[in-house]
Amino acid sequence: LPASRTRFRVMTLSVQETIAQRKAQGHGTLVAYLPVGYPDLATSVEASIAVLNSGADILELGVPYSDPVMDGTVIARATQTALERGFKLRHVFPAVAEIVKATGKPVLVMTYWNPVVQYGVEKFATDLKAAGGAGLITPDLIPDEAADWLEISERLELERVFLAAPSSSDSRLHVAGEQSKGFVYAVSTMGITGTRIDVDSAARGLVERIYAQGAEATCVGLGISTAEHVTDVVGFADGAIVGSALVRALSEGGVGAVGELAQSLASGTKRN
């Protein structure tokens, strides 16, 4: 990939605009997660383009990190492989530029906060903007501790996604909704813990609380792996986020398999 910092002037909708457009079309939004650099940089870009061209609406591009405390085993193993094969943080920006240029769809970078601080918050944000990135998902950064990011993202018009969990207080949900731009990331356990009814109830309850605290949009992530899961989620939230299932498909079947799964998942976005 070229190491160019050229600004790609691709006409892309923002995350917020994409969610609104899909809603107007009678669909929920499909957010696809893949880690950059896995199994190698070029293939990760190819896979990312494939999932977007196969029906995903937004890409969540994960930054490999040495201590991925919030990732499941499938994603943690993939990101560790990327690091072992030479991934560097600077590789994120040409990858984003290539994906946006090829698809015209929004790319959110998902990263733990320490790499951004080490790179320089202002420099990271500036390079992301120049690459055509939509913004950041920051799983371990809460709005209360995000003063630099809030100021810089506002100035550069980058979207920012904060997380909300069932354990979050109403006041924290309110702040997450107030400070997020794009959507609030509702952390669910769908398909992993408990029976389907129990898990659906927990996810629905969290989303209802997030909306009650004033959030404009929320997408549900963790454990969603089938079109049926997607259909369930978009019945009560703006979108569904799929990660581990796509990473597993890429690992086992390559770019073709990950594209096929994305197409299947996208079939579940139509609201009944």
Side-chain angles (χ1 to χ4, degrees):
L1 293 173
S4 169
R5 293 179 60 185
T6 302
R7 183 185 298 273
F8 286 103
R9 299 190 180 279
V10 179
M11 294 301 293
T12 61
L13 296 177
S14 67
V15 169
Q16 186 175 17
E17 290 167 341
T18 298
I19 291 172
Q21 182 185 74
R22 293 298 283 159
K23 185 181 293 187
Q25 294 168 344
H27 285 259
T29 299
L30 176 61
V31 183
Y33 167 93
L34 285 173
V36 63
Y38 177 78
D40 56 68
L41 190 58
T43 305
S44 69
V45 170
E46 187 182 355
S48 296
I49 292 169
V51 298
L52 290 173
N53 285 342
S54 297
D57 303 297
I58 296 165
L59 180 70
E60 177 185 348
L61 190 65
V63 173
Y65 184 52
S66 58
D67 186 26
V69 294
M70 301 176 73
D71 293 340
T73 56
V74 172
I75 291 173
R77 191 180 304 120
T79 56
Q80 183 60 38
T81 298
L83 291 169
E84 290 170 355
R85 293 179 179 176
F87 170 82
K88 303 296 181 186
L89 193 59
R90 66 178 182 272
H91 295 153
V92 169
F93 309 106
V96 169
E98 190 77 9
I99 296 162
V100 172
K101 184 180 180 182
T103 67
K105 291 185 176 181
V107 176
L108 284 167
V109 170
M110 193 288 281
T111 179
Y112 292 93
W113 194 238
N114 188 56
V116 179
V117 172
Q118 295 300 315
Y119 190 89
V121 180
E122 177 100 27
K123 186 173 187 297
F124 193 100
T126 301
D127 287 355
L128 180 62
K129 181 72 174 182
L136 293 180
I137 298 172
T138 51
D140 61 342
L141 180 70
I142 60 174
D144 313 55
E145 299 173 357
D148 285 353
W149 170 230
L150 293 174
E151 187 276 322
I152 292 167
S153 60
E154 199 72 29
R155 174 158 41 88
L156 295 181
E157 298 183 332
L158 288 168
E159 292 174 289
R160 51 184 185 256
V161 175
F162 292 108
L163 271 63
S167 58
S168 300
S169 66
D170 284 349
S171 61
R172 189 164 294 282
L173 293 182
H174 177 77
V175 174
E178 187 176 56
Q179 297 298 344
S180 290
K181 287 201 170 180
F183 61 88
V184 176
Y185 191 131
V187 180
S188 169
T189 52
M190 176 167 287
I192 294 178
T193 304
T195 67
R196 185 67 176 279
I197 294 174
D198 289 342
V199 173
D200 278 357
S201 176
R204 285 175 183 270
L206 174 58
V207 169
E208 287 172 1
R209 290 177 61 214
I210 292 170
Y211 286 135
Q213 292 301 319
E216 292 186 7
T218 183
C219 295
V220 177
L222 298 186
I224 300 169
S225 60
T226 68
E228 290 75 22
H229 284 164
V230 172
T231 299
D232 283 352
V233 167
V234 301
F236 60 86
D238 289 283
I241 304 166
V242 182
S244 294
L246 289 166
V247 176
R248 186 179 296 110
L250 178 60
S251 175
E252 295 175 355
V255 172
V258 82
E260 288 176 10
L261 178 56
Q263 184 174 24
S264 173
L265 292 164
S267 72
T269 61
K270 185 169 179 58
R271 293 193 167 105
N272 297 323

